[in-house]
Amino acid sequence: MTAQSTTTFCCLHHSFHCELNISVLRHIFLSTHITPLLYSTEFRQVVIEFRAGLFFHIMARKISAYLHHVTVALLVLQLALSPMMAIASDADPEQDFCVADLASTTLVNGLVCKSAAAVTANDFLFHGLATSGNTNNAAGRSAVAPAFAAQFPGLNTLGISMARLDFAQGGLVPPHTHPRASEILFVLEGSLLVGFVSTDNKLFAVTVNAGDVFVFPRGLLHFELNVGEGNAAAIAALNIQNPGVQARAAALFGSGISDVVLEKAFGLSENAVDHIKTIFAALKV
């Protein structure tokens, strides 16, 4: 097999990447050595390599096309699921309102709507924040009046709520959390030491006065203490109709957690734990 013919068949082998040399092809097929060439070992090897190359080229194109379709299908699936993931936390209302039916025994994630025909303007009115709360108590000399969906049915599904905080001199709203809400506090009167603790146990605290606003990030432990010379009051707004409230001290010492757990967690003696539990048991009465 001549060098020229070998070059030509190598070009045939790579024909999908190069242009054939027409003059070389003419020379081969007009050559008097064409018959021996067709039966030569070199020619058969070139044909085998050409067929193998063509096969893998076709398979590669098919695989590429398949992967393209798979990619497109995954992209379509992702786009279809995106709205569902975006509203997985709290869906937007699909009706004008959903006044809570506080008498319903149906259990859902939230409160059941009462019939729209039974809704009146009074369902959207609440008087519970108009007057000061009773701060003459042993639970911190403070009072909190919530306006959540359970007290104010018209708030149900609207994603907002409020509360009024009243403090006697030295009064305290103990450290607590709202697991489902951020809170913004507006001081009506007096001076309050307010603060929260981040998840890396860093304290952010400041004294606020009448007219000031302070925000507590969602779920973080926070408190309010009256540091003024008289009474104090504030209004809190929260970004959900049922923010939930958990007072840390009451949760730890008033829920029935084992004495051993509390002794080890706080380095307290058995007598000290029993004494603290007695205090919180009395507050429940």
Side-chain angles (χ1 to χ4, degrees), residues 96-110:
D96 291 341
F97 49 78
C98 172
V99 175
D101 183 358
L102 301 181
S104 175
T105 58
T106 302
L107 299 178
V108 296
N109 183 23

Side-chain angles (χ1 to χ4, degrees), residues 139-184:
R141 292 177 54 78
S142 66
V144 177
F148 302 161
Q151 297 82 28
F152 189 2
L155 291 180
N156 194 37
T157 74
L158 299 184
I160 53 173
S161 59
M162 299 182 72
R164 173 170 177 149
L165 290 68
D166 289 288
F167 304 82
Q169 186 174 4
L172 169 71
V173 174
H176 62 284
T177 63
H178 301 295
R180 296 180 289 275
S182 299
E183 174 184 345
I184 188 167

Side-chain angles (χ1 to χ4, degrees), residues 183-187 193-196 204-208 211-217 222-224 235-237:
E183 174 184 345
I184 188 167
L185 187 78
F186 174 71
V187 182
L193 173 64
V194 299
F196 64 87
F204 296 84
V206 67
T207 298
V208 292
D212 290 339
V213 174
F214 191 81
V215 65
F216 304 106
H222 61 282
F223 61 87
E224 298 95 358
I235 292 291

Side-chain angles (χ1 to χ4, degrees), residues 110-127:
L111 296 173
V112 177
C113 311
K114 71 178 183 180
S115 170
V119 174
T120 69
N122 286 332
D123 289 313
F124 304 98
L125 176 65
F126 186 66
H127 299 290

Side-chain angles (χ1 to χ4, degrees), residues 8-230:
T8 301
F9 282 110
C10 287
C11 187
L12 283 172
H13 173 55
H14 299 288
S15 59
F16 34 79
H17 293 301
C18 68
E19 296 182 0
L20 295 177
N21 189 322
I22 301 302
S23 62
V24 173
L25 285 176
R26 184 182 296 111
H27 174 79
I28 290 174
F29 287 102
L30 293 178
S31 172
T32 56
H33 302 290
I34 187 65
T35 301
L37 176 62
L38 294 176
Y39 290 96
S40 67
T41 302
E42 292 88 345
F43 178 82
R44 291 177 180 177
Q45 183 63 32
V46 169
V47 170
I48 291 172
E49 291 180 4
F50 173 75
R51 288 177 176 176
L54 183 60
F55 170 77
F56 285 114
H57 175 68
I58 294 173
M59 289 302 298
R61 292 185 62 181
K62 288 186 176 181
I63 293 173
S64 177
Y66 172 76
L67 293 177
H68 172 74
H69 290 307
V70 170
T71 302
V72 172
L74 291 175
L75 179 60
V76 171
L77 180 62
Q78 182 180 9
L79 292 174
L81 293 179
S82 292
M84 297 174 62
M85 292 185 288
I87 63 173
S89 176
D90 199 358
D92 290 333
E94 296 185 0
Q95 52 201 19
D96 291 341
F97 49 78
C98 172
V99 175
D101 183 358
L102 301 181
S104 175
T105 58
T106 302
L107 299 178
V108 296
N109 183 23
L111 296 173
V112 177
C113 311
K114 71 178 183 180
S115 170
V119 174
T120 69
N122 286 332
D123 289 313
F124 304 98
L125 176 65
F126 186 66
H127 299 290
L129 307 185
T131 58
S132 301
N134 180 15
T135 59
N136 186 21
N137 56 62
R141 292 177 54 78
S142 66
V144 177
F148 302 161
Q151 297 82 28
F152 189 2
L155 291 180
N156 194 37
T157 74
L158 299 184
I160 53 173
S161 59
M162 299 182 72
R164 173 170 177 149
L165 290 68
D166 289 288
F167 304 82
Q169 186 174 4
L172 169 71
V173 174
H176 62 284
T177 63
H178 301 295
R180 296 180 289 275
S182 299
E183 174 184 345
I184 188 167
L185 187 78
F186 174 71
V187 182
L188 294 174
E189 64 172 318
S191 298
L192 298 172
L193 173 64
V194 299
F196 64 87
V197 180
S198 65
T199 55
D200 58 355
N201 294 327
K202 182 178 179 180
L203 174 64
F204 296 84
V206 67
T207 298
V208 292
N209 302 295
D212 290 339
V213 174
F214 191 81
V215 65
F216 304 106
R218 175 178 174 171
L220 295 185
L221 187 71
H222 61 282
F223 61 87
E224 298 95 358
L225 171 67
N226 183 3
V227 294
E229 297 181 357

